[in-house]
Structure formats: C-alpha cells, structure tokens
C-alpha cells in the first residue's frame, strides 16, 4: 500500500509543480528507490543465476511497457503530437530518457516525460550482480554505503540536475545496505527524531537558511524508509485499495500525460478528476499488460510442448 500512496504523492507533486510538495515528493522517490534496493538484495543474495535475474525483470516489466506505450502512442496520434517516430522515442518510451538528459541531449519525443527515475532503476538492475558481490559481508557492505554516500555527495555538489538524482541513487544503495546488515529500527526513536528534524528543517527555511536542505531531506528520507520497514497497516485499510496496488508502474508512466487543468472546474475538482482518470486508465492498462504476459507465457508453454 505504501507504494500506491507514494506514487499518488508524486503525481500530486507534479500536478502542483513548484509548490512545497517537492519535499515529500523527494522523500517518496527515495523510499521507492530504497524499496527496490532492499527487496532485490533480500531476494537475490549469495550465488544466484544472473541470466534468470535479468529474465525475471524483463518478464515483469516488458508487458507493462508494451501496454503503456501502446496507449500513449494512440494518445499522441489523437493529439497530433510531433516527433512520435523520432530516434529519441526508443530511449524515452522504455524509460531510458535519463541517459539523454545526463549527456545533455534534449528529448524531443513526446514519450518519456519525467522518467529519469526509471532509468536509474534499470541501471540499478544492471549493476546489481556486481553489488551483490561487493556486499557479500557486513564490513564490505558498510564500506560500500560510505563510498556511495561520498560519491552521491560529490555528484550533488558538482553535477546536480534540477531533480533529486543523487538522493535517489543513494536510496537504492541504502536499501541494499539495510537488507544486508539486518538492522531493526526502533519505531519510537525514529518518530521522535523525525518530528524534531522536521521542525528544525522548517524553522531554518522560515528564516531563509536553505543550504542544509538536501542533508535534512536525506535524513528524513532514511527515517521514513526505516519506519516503513516495521510499520503495520491495518488490514481494513487495504480492501478498497487492493485493485490499484498492481498499477503503480502504469500510474508512474501515465500521470503527467493525463492531468486535467481546467479553470472552469477549479483546482481541487480538476485534481480529483485527474487522479480518478489516471487510476482508471492505469487499471485498464495493467489488465491489458497482464493479458500480454499470459499470452506470452502460453506461447512459451506451447513451444515447450512441441519440442
């Protein structure tokens, strides 16, 4: 459920772009990265078959990407967008737009809006077998997270894009780190520390001191991610949300294209209508991507039977 709430928070931050919501959105992106790093390291540790690891990721992501991009293609044709068949489309449609951005290439394709996070995710999957080897012992894992922290700090200082790239990169590494050291956080201490640091962060910003913002957001992100590891959500809250839980990837790819901004409806009504629109279409596209996956799986079974 946390991922669904977080992706809706990210969508809200993008809808109200330029507002103070950039702070919780940055924390949400960190938690997403942390979650991927933590559960990947938890599931794949020690010796595992690398080919199976990559094949599993492809089977999980490709059907959704095909369904999402098929819908967006129809949407762009209907809207009369330009550069649909541009060479940037391959990078953008499959979440590789971050590489264009990091090499200073402006994406002219309508695909790939805001998908730099997905690029970082794919890079993480690409280097994970190496990280698994590096973090094979507790001491090496501690050395890894210290080295990564320094690397991300230097990146933030000398090569920082206008989004929280290095905080997100650190989130993936911190997830791997916490999975390997088996640290169990104390809930009460985390809550007290979070409240104190949040107050200090807001107070310093109120008086115009913003130089430590990235530091505060990093610490707050770590506290939120650690708290979610031990948080227990009442089962009654999950019922109405269960049908939307598998749609997180679709919501992430689609939300910036499906916003409704209408001065007639008003800001609140436009936002609510946008979220309903995004959830409904994400649900349908998720169902279609599952159908694609089932067809592919059945074809593989049929091929195996023929052999």
């Amino acid at each position: 459920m946390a991922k669904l709430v977080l992706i809706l928070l990210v969508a809200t931050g993008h809808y109200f772009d330029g507002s103070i919501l950039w702070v919780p959105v940055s924390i949400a992106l960190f938690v997403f990265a942390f979650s991927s790093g933590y559960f990947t390291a938890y599931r794949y540790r020690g010796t595992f078959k690398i080919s199976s690891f990559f094949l599993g990721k492809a089977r999980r992501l490709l059907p959704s990407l095909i369904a999402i991009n098929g819908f967006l293609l129809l949407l762009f044709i209907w809207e009369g967008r330009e550069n649909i068949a541009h060479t940037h489309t391959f990078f953008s449609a499959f979440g590789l737009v971050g590489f264009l951005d990091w090499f200073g290439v402006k994406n002219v394709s309508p695909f790939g809006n805001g998908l730099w996070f997905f690029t970082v995710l794919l890079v993480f999957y690409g280097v994970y077998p190496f990280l698994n080897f590096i973090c094979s012992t507790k001491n090496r894992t501690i050395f890894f997270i210290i080295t990564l922290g320094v690397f991300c700090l230097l990146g933030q200082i000398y090569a920082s894009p206008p989004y929280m790239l290095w905080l997100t990169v650190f989130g993936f590494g911190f997830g791997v780190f916490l999975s390997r050291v088996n640290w169990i956080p104390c809930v009460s201490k985390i809550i007290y520390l979070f409240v104190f640091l949040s107050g200090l962060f807001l107070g310093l910003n109120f008086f115009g001191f913003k130089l430590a913002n990235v530091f505060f957001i990093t610490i707050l992100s770590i506290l939120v991610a650690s708290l979610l590891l031990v948080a227990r959500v009442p089962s009654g809250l999950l019922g109405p949300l269960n049908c939307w839980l598998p749609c997180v990837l679709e919501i992430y790819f689609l939300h910036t294209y499906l916003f409704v901004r209408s001065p007639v409806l008003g800001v609140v009504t436009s936002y609510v209508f946008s979220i309903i629109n995004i959830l409904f279409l994400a649900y349908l596209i998720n169902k279609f991507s599952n159908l694609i996956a089932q067809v592919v799986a059945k074809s593989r079974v049929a091929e195996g039977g023929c052999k």
Side-chain angles (χ1 to χ4, degrees):
M1 191 184 78
K3 281 190 172 184
L4 177 62
V5 173
L6 291 171
I7 194 59
L8 291 178
L9 176 59
V10 171
T12 303
H14 286 159
Y15 188 90
F16 298 101
D17 192 28
S19 70
I20 191 62
L21 286 174
W22 74 271
V23 175
V25 167
S26 297
I27 294 175
L29 290 173
F30 178 94
V31 175
F32 266 115
F34 169 84
S35 174
S36 296
Y38 183 89
F39 289 108
T40 300
Y42 182 82
R43 181 176 179 183
Y44 299 97
R45 58 175 64 206
T47 302
F48 64 91
K49 194 173 181 180
I50 296 177
S51 60
S52 297
F53 170 78
F54 289 120
L55 185 60
K57 299 303 179 186
R59 287 175 176 172
R60 183 169 66 86
L61 294 174
L62 278 179
S64 292
L65 291 177
I66 292 171
I68 291 168
N69 288 313
F71 168 79
L72 288 177
L73 176 61
L74 295 176
L75 177 65
F76 297 152
I77 293 174
W78 179 67
E79 293 177 340
R81 297 282 195 104
E82 297 180 351
N83 298 318
I84 293 176
H86 197 275
T87 52
H88 291 175
T89 294
F90 171 79
F91 290 91
S92 305
F94 290 94
L96 299 171
V97 69
F99 288 119
L100 296 177
D101 183 42
W102 302 332
F103 285 97
V105 179
K106 179 177 174 56
N107 175 35
V108 299
S109 168
F111 290 91
N113 195 10
L115 296 185
W116 62 267
F117 178 93
F118 195 77
T119 308
V120 180
L121 174 67
L122 295 179
V123 171
F124 168 72
Y125 287 153
V127 302
Y128 177 73
F130 176 71
L131 294 183
N132 177 64
F133 170 75
I134 291 294
C135 300
S136 57
T137 67
K138 185 175 182 179
N139 288 337
R140 290 170 65 168
T141 304
I142 294 173
F143 175 77
F144 157 72
I145 197 62
I146 293 173
T147 304
L148 180 64
V150 173
F151 177 77
C152 290
L153 177 61
L154 294 175
Q156 181 66 33
I157 294 172
Y158 296 108
S160 180
Y163 46 83
M164 299 299 267
L165 170 64
W166 298 108
L167 174 67
T168 304
V169 171
F170 184 74
F172 281 102
F174 187 74
V176 174
F177 165 75
L178 219 58
S179 176
R180 292 300 166 86
V181 298
N182 295 317
W183 176 67
I184 305 298
C186 175
V187 175
S188 59
K189 290 181 179 178
I190 288 178
I191 293 175
Y192 292 147
L193 189 57
F194 181 84
V195 172
F196 170 74
L197 289 177
S198 296
L200 182 59
F201 171 62
L202 293 174
L204 289 173
N205 275 267
F206 179 79
F207 289 105
F209 183 79
K210 301 181 180 182
L211 293 177
N213 279 359
V214 174
F215 169 78
F216 276 108
I217 292 173
T218 302
I219 299 301
L220 292 174
S221 299
I222 290 172
L223 293 175
V224 171
S226 301
L227 183 61
L228 287 175
L229 278 181
V230 292
R232 294 293 180 266
V233 179
S235 57
L237 294 177
L238 294 176
L241 300 174
N242 279 339
C243 63
W244 308 113
L245 296 182
C247 305
V248 171
L249 183 66
E250 286 77 9
I251 296 170
Y252 167 62
F253 267 75
L254 293 174
H255 71 272
T256 55
Y257 296 106
L258 300 177
F259 285 147
V260 176
R261 302 184 186 275
S262 170
V264 177
L265 295 175
V267 174
V268 175
T269 307
S270 298
Y271 167 73
V272 172
F273 185 68
S274 293
I275 292 299
I276 293 173
N277 188 35
I278 291 165
L279 286 173
F280 178 68
L281 285 172
Y283 177 79
L284 293 180
I285 292 173
N286 176 261
K287 289 296 183 182
F288 185 65
S289 68
N290 288 339
L291 179 62
I292 294 174
Q294 291 172 11
V295 170
V296 172
K298 288 180 180 178
S299 65
R300 290 178 61 86
V301 172
E303 289 177 4
C306 292
K307 293 178 182 179

